[in-house]
Amino acid sequence: MALREIRTIGDEVLRKKCKPVREVNDRVRMLLQDIEDTLRSDENGAGLAAPQIGILRRLIVVNAPDGEYLKLVNPEIVASDGEHEVVEGCLSVPGRWGKLMRPVKVTVKALDENGKEVTIEAENDYAKLFCHEIDHLDGVLFIDKVTEFIDDDEDWEEDDEDDEDGEDDEDLDETDQENE
Ligand SMILES: [Zn+2]
């Protein structure tokens, strides 16, 4: 188990294009495990891409709707359908969230950690997650696509019943929104 430092905005590595992985070997599996460990260490993390821990290879880990952590090599969106407005945040862009347009459905092709080809159909938040992580592999951050930033102090969560004493406001905003 190895936790890596999550690189944040301003770090050049987040803006570089990652190279495809030629062979899924032990070294690649170790990197995938590091990405997974680092992702699991953040309770709001939904996904993490290799450049976020400083590795310029096409590797991502996503927390699937069934709770499983999927480790994927050379992921690619091969089909997408629909478009809607979503809200995103990113572990590499702490404290910022914004609205942007993403496909409703995507089909992703990738290799798993054993080098076997897999195809994944994803919808809504899961589709958004793939778009976000695969963008990272091309040096693209969600903030590049944001149409409107959501102010940290703005009360955009529907459930604000606990806000009356005001003590937990900062925590609420962060814990209720996942980061990719
Ligand atoms: Zn991200």
Side-chain angles (χ1 to χ4, degrees):
M1 162 133 179
L3 294 184
R4 305 277 197 119
E5 182 197 347
I6 295 181
R7 306 299 185 91
T8 53
I9 186 142
D11 192 320
E12 290 268 295
V13 78
L14 294 172
R15 290 306 194 175
K16 303 225 161 110
K17 201 171 156 74
C18 297
K19 288 183 183 163
V21 171
R22 283 200 220 132
E23 188 198 347
V24 184
N25 54 25
D26 285 345
R27 162 90 181 139
V28 168
R29 279 185 281 275
M30 199 193 75
L31 288 171
L32 283 166
Q33 192 59 52
D34 284 358
I35 297 170
E36 180 184 335
D37 292 342
T38 306
L39 175 59
R40 281 180 185 270
S41 75
D42 191 301
E43 61 175 330
N44 300 319
L48 198 64
Q52 292 181 277
I53 61 161
I55 305 290
L56 290 171
R57 285 290 180 276
R58 303 189 81 83
L59 303 170
I60 64 170
V61 176
V62 295
N63 190 358
D66 63 6
E68 199 188 334
Y69 284 76
L70 283 187
K71 295 185 264 210
L72 299 173
V73 177
N74 299 339
E76 223 182 314
I77 292 168
V78 293
S80 66
D81 192 30
E83 199 185 34
H84 61 167
E85 190 179 70
V86 298
V87 173
E88 286 183 24
C90 178
L91 292 170
S92 294
V93 189
R96 299 206 84 181
W97 289 273
K99 297 174 183 174
L100 62 155
M101 301 303 286
R102 291 288 195 193
V104 179
K105 292 183 184 180
V106 294
T107 305
V108 176
K109 281 203 170 163
L111 300 176
D112 70 11
E113 59 183 326
N114 299 309
K116 190 180 149 230
E117 200 173 288
V118 291
T119 302
I120 299 149
E121 306 278 348
E123 279 185 35
N124 299 315
D125 279 355
Y126 197 30
K128 172 183 96 169
L129 183 53
F130 279 109
C131 295
H132 181 109
E133 300 311 331
I134 292 170
D135 272 353
H136 270 300
L137 304 180
D138 293 316
V140 174
L141 299 176
F142 84 100
I143 51 173
D144 304 344
K145 297 180 171 180
V146 161
T147 51
E148 187 190 344
F149 282 101
I150 297 168
D151 194 297
D152 234 2
D153 302 326
E154 187 185 334
D155 198 5
W156 56 276
E157 295 286 348
E158 281 172 33
D159 179 10
D160 59 2
E161 283 172 21
D162 297 332
D163 273 358
E164 281 169 25
D165 62 10
E167 280 176 15
D168 294 317
D169 281 1
E170 277 180 31
D171 283 338
L172 276 178
D173 277 338
E174 294 201 13
T175 49
D176 289 356
Q177 182 63 30
E178 289 189 324
N179 275 305
E180 288 107 15

